[in-house]
Amino acid sequence: METTHRVRVGDARDLPLADDSVDLVVTSPPYPMIEMWDDVFAALDPAIGDALDAGDGDRAHDLMLSVLDEAWAEVARVLAPGGIAVVNVGDATRNLGRFRVYDNHARVTDAFESLGFDPLPGVLWRKPTNSAAKFMGSGMVPPNAYVTLEREHLLVFRNGQRREFEPRAERRYEAAYFWEERNRWFSDVWDDLNGEHQTLADPELRERSAAFPLELPYRLVNMYSVYGDTVLDPFWGTGTTSLAAAISGRHSVGVERDDGLADAFDDRIRDAPALSRDFAASRLDDHRTFVGESDDDFEYAADHYDTRVRTKQEQGIRLYEVTDVEPTLDGWEATHEPYEE
């Protein structure tokens, strides 16, 4: 199996992709009203900078969300019917004349609903490392302290009706997950993932990126796509979504305005062979530990691995590893082989 991984330097509001050409979107846009993204938003719409300078947080917030709305319209255009879009976004707190929270997750949900998407149950990603202290405001005395925001939202939307597959489609059943993975991954709170430490050599690139941990898009890619699907990240950043797609046996496309970030990805995708083996080995080890520690019966034997499984749907699970990565004219091609222990 071969997969392709392309990155385009461009604008998420004008995706260089055909209609209905991707199966899954996993992305984390710049968060409105988070100060590190002010210059990015102001460059896209100078009125945002004017509003911030005037201390008009409400107007700045609305204008920032309007910029994102244009990107979501492009997502609606390129996402195939039945495809899933997952948006990682956090709310923001800020003091522009008065202190308040800006509800980014609710406004992004409204935007996708207006485009005809169906919101599905999402995930609260709890990030305890975000805060150096457990209080904001007046410290130890009431009533003017504030709750700290230690979670972000993984918003999940479906473009129309559920996808249909041929009965017992091999690529779908090979891409199944283990029973206990399903229970953990499809929980509505994830509290076992920390933010990603930047490994980029250039400190200026680190300042212009805000990567989520690889495990996060890896889970989402395996939850909402099958082998051979195409995964898009229109706010590509350091390419973590593409890396997750590569080690999961999916194609990927990324769109990124910063050509420096795009160039730096060549080093990251070279790690795909080792990462894919590590992820596959870890999943099998974790599953065997789960089986060994459980008092329940595991009625079925896996077809490709020496382990029992709980359900018939798990029997055909087949993990893949990346055996080679080669540059192409417009990105990279990864070769995948079944993972063998």
Side-chain angles (χ1 to χ4, degrees), residues 270-306:
R270 301 292 178 182
D271 294 334
L275 286 168
S276 64
R277 289 190 294 272
D278 288 347
F279 271 79
S282 178
R283 289 179 65 183
L284 281 170
D285 287 347
D286 289 348
H287 175 68
R288 289 183 176 125
T289 298
F290 172 75
V291 172
E293 293 177 350
S294 176
D295 294 328
D296 297 336
D297 289 333
F298 290 80
E299 183 176 353
Y300 303 96
D303 294 337
H304 304 293
Y305 302 102
D306 182 19

Side-chain angles (χ1 to χ4, degrees), residues 3 33 42 65 91 98 119 146 162 213 262 276 286:
T3 61
M33 301 308 287
L65 289 163
D91 294 334
R98 67 188 193 281
Y146 308 109
R162 293 170 56 179
S276 64
D286 289 348

Side-chain angles (χ1 to χ4, degrees), residues 9 64 92 111 136 167-168 171 207 209 221 236 259 279 309 331:
V9 177
M64 291 177 182
M136 297 172 61
R168 302 299 301 180
R171 68 189 184 116
E207 291 176 3
S209 65
V221 166
W236 190 73
D259 56 358
F279 271 79
V309 292

Side-chain angles (χ1 to χ4, degrees), residues 48-218:
I48 293 172
D50 296 338
L52 290 171
D53 291 342
D56 189 345
D58 291 346
R59 176 166 170 75
H61 190 221
D62 286 341
L63 291 171
M64 291 177 182
L65 289 163
S66 294
V67 169
L68 293 184
D69 287 347
E70 296 179 54
W72 307 142
E74 279 289 271
V75 165
R77 179 181 66 80
V78 304
L79 185 61
I84 298 289
V86 184
V87 179
N88 168 214
V89 67
D91 294 334
T93 54
R94 192 145 179 186
N95 192 338
L96 287 175
R98 67 188 193 281
F99 182 86
R100 58 158 293 184
V101 64
Y102 292 91
D103 58 344
N104 292 326
H105 82 279
R107 300 286 291 274
V108 171
T109 299
D110 289 344
F112 271 87
E113 284 194 278
S114 72
L115 292 165
F117 284 80
D118 290 330
L120 302 180
V123 174
L124 285 178
W125 173 26
R126 190 170 186 274
K127 299 174 63 178
T129 58
N130 269 10
S131 176
K134 289 293 183 184
F135 57 84
M136 297 172 61
S138 60
M140 307 305 169
V141 294
N144 293 322
Y146 308 109
V147 171
T148 55
L149 295 183
E150 295 181 348
R151 80 285 190 268
E152 296 184 5
H153 296 263
L154 300 175
L155 307 174
V156 183
F157 307 99
R158 184 167 56 218
N159 186 19
Q161 298 296 317
R162 293 170 56 179
R163 288 177 67 181
E164 298 292 337
F165 294 86
E166 293 293 328
R168 302 299 301 180
E170 183 178 24
R171 68 189 184 116
R172 186 184 187 197
Y173 281 84
E174 282 193 343
Y177 24 76
F178 291 115
W179 186 87
E180 70 281 2
E181 288 179 326
R182 192 262 181 235
N183 291 345
R184 185 171 75 253
W185 291 355
F186 285 86
S187 170
D188 64 353
V189 177
W190 290 357
D191 57 6
D192 57 342
L193 300 176
N194 292 323
E196 182 84 335
H197 293 290
Q198 298 299 323
T199 58
L200 297 170
D202 187 338
E204 290 188 5
L205 293 181
R206 288 199 298 271
E207 291 176 3
R208 299 200 300 272
S209 65
F212 37 42
L214 179 60
E215 173 74 13
L216 187 147
Y218 179 83

